[in-house]
Amino acid sequence: MISEPSDSLSGEATLPGDKSISHRALILGALAVGETRIDGLLEGGDVMATARALGEFGVEVARDGPGAWRVWGAGVGGFQEPARQLDLGNAGTAVRLLMGVAAQHPFTSFFSGDDSLGNRPMGRVAEPLRQMGARIEARSGCRLPLALTGSSELLPLSYTLPVASAQVKSAVLLAGLAAPGETAIVEPAPSRDHSERMLRHFGAELRVEDAAAGGRRIVLSGQPELSARALSIPADISSAAFALAAALIVPGSQLLLRNVGVNPFRGGLLDCVREMGGAVELQGAKEISGEPVADIAVSASKLHGIDVPAARVPSMIDEFPILAVLAACAEGPSRLAGVGELRHKESDRFAAILAGLSAAGVQVAAEGDDILITGMAGPPPGGGEIESCLDHRIAMAFLVLGMATARGMTIDDGAPIATSFPAFAELMNGLGGRIRHG
Ligand code: S3P
């Protein structure tokens, strides 16, 4: 795909549904008793992989219309043994959360995925699930394909996460639904709390306590009665981030992004943009289905460099590719501190950010787990070709950069964008962008 210098962007946009919340809505709907109605579901490849996998587990999932879905829950421990292997495509959240659910069941489930997912570490999820009573056999490095044999007698667990990961936390909480007594997780730094909010929405009992050094302890009471609930899913701030960034760097732009999820544990990019001097404003804040939501007004701004503290990483873990693009266009140097976890995403995003910015003519360097970017006080020359490495966010971040550069940017493969934002090019072009298939 090719992005060419754009006219100023203007108008209003409704971005696709939140990917994290969409996976959880389908999964918790499947674990509740009764019919859960969902609107605003993201219909990207990743979430559709979760829907298909739930079907393999014998759960009825149906689409009523765009974003409108129904799930007839089978209850905790009520799934059937899948007859086929579960192919989760590119979806890390799907495989990790569904491993937690599969652990509740005394049969073997087989998980696989694409080449990107096959390279991602699953040991971080396997370890606590084994401690609860699941058996897991996997390829070297605990990578997919993987077989998980669950148990109808899972043990509750008290577990300290070695890395701040909402996926691992959620897998343990989902398994903990089937265990008696309390399952507790201590997270070193708070990560997105969509699972906690949605578990409560479905009637689970869950409390959150402060833990040492700014961490949190989440305690779930096992074996709750989950009852079906209606759910509305807000727009994904991680998708909104691309439109927001484009508006900041394409001169003269002004956008209103409607109904975006503004969960505080996802808000790191907004904090960075404000610190960089970006004009962003939240309007009409409200709560929908237990999640905070607002419209975001953004206009083109003169940005300056930023030191992003390592403590902020979990609240913007998926936004570093697009933040790196903003830092490249800002005035002065930026440091993204403690971003080593980026090596374990859909691609090695640490390496992909370095390669992509260099190809666009930006001076960028690594220092341990930090990335250093020399801002150019305006867009870099561009003109480079980037490998997307099966990574939707790398592809979209550099297409956005191309919108502001004089020479545009080319991505070798735009197909991964469909995992989270199938209408990306169409939506950006509707606002004034010029993105096309090469
Ligand atoms: C997600 C958590 C994050 C994030 C991913 C979605 C989730 O992963 O990168 O895109 O929905 O829980 P980690 O929990 O591994 O940091």
Side-chain angles (χ1 to χ4, degrees), residues 19-20 24 93 96 124 164-167 192 317-318 345:
K19 182 153 76 72
S20 290
R24 286 159 172 83
T93 306
R96 290 182 172 137
R124 51 179 65 189
S165 164
Q167 293 177 352
R192 63 190 70 192
I317 185 67
D318 293 333
K345 294 297 172 185

Side-chain angles (χ1 to χ4, degrees), residues 268-358:
L269 179 75
L270 294 177
D271 295 338
C272 289
V273 166
R274 285 192 198 97
E275 285 171 29
M276 296 171 87
V280 281
E281 196 194 311
L282 301 194
Q283 299 172 351
K286 56 186 175 206
E287 193 157 299
I288 299 181
S289 306
E291 288 280 348
V293 174
D295 296 338
I296 302 179
V298 53
S299 42
S301 305
K302 211 170 148 13
L303 302 175
H304 47 80
I306 182 173
D307 274 354
V308 184
R312 195 178 289 169
V313 171
S315 69
M316 54 177 297
I317 185 67
D318 293 333
E319 277 63 79
F320 282 99
I322 195 65
L323 178 76
V325 163
L326 293 179
C329 301
E331 182 174 358
S334 288
R335 177 182 288 267
L336 322 185
V339 292
E341 185 61 16
L342 296 182
R343 298 190 174 95
H344 308 296
K345 294 297 172 185
E346 284 84 331
S347 69
D348 176 348
R349 286 187 183 157
F350 194 100
I353 288 171
L354 295 177
L357 288 185
S358 303

Side-chain angles (χ1 to χ4, degrees), residues 18-21 23-24 46 92-93 96-97 120 124 163-170 191-192 194-195 238 266 314 317-318 341 344-346 349 392-393:
D18 187 283
K19 182 153 76 72
S20 290
I21 301 177
H23 284 298
R24 286 159 172 83
D46 279 13
T93 306
R96 290 182 172 137
L97 268 55
R120 299 184 66 184
R124 51 179 65 189
V163 276
S165 164
Q167 293 177 352
V168 180
K169 169 175 68 177
S170 303
S191 62
R192 63 190 70 192
H194 304 306
S195 297
S238 297
R266 300 277 300 277
I317 185 67
D318 293 333
E341 185 61 16
H344 308 296
K345 294 297 172 185
E346 284 84 331
R349 286 187 183 157
H392 54 137
R393 299 202 198 281

Side-chain angles (χ1 to χ4, degrees), residues 16 28 45 53 113 132 199 201 303 377:
L28 283 179
M132 296 177 86
L199 278 162
H201 188 71
L303 302 175

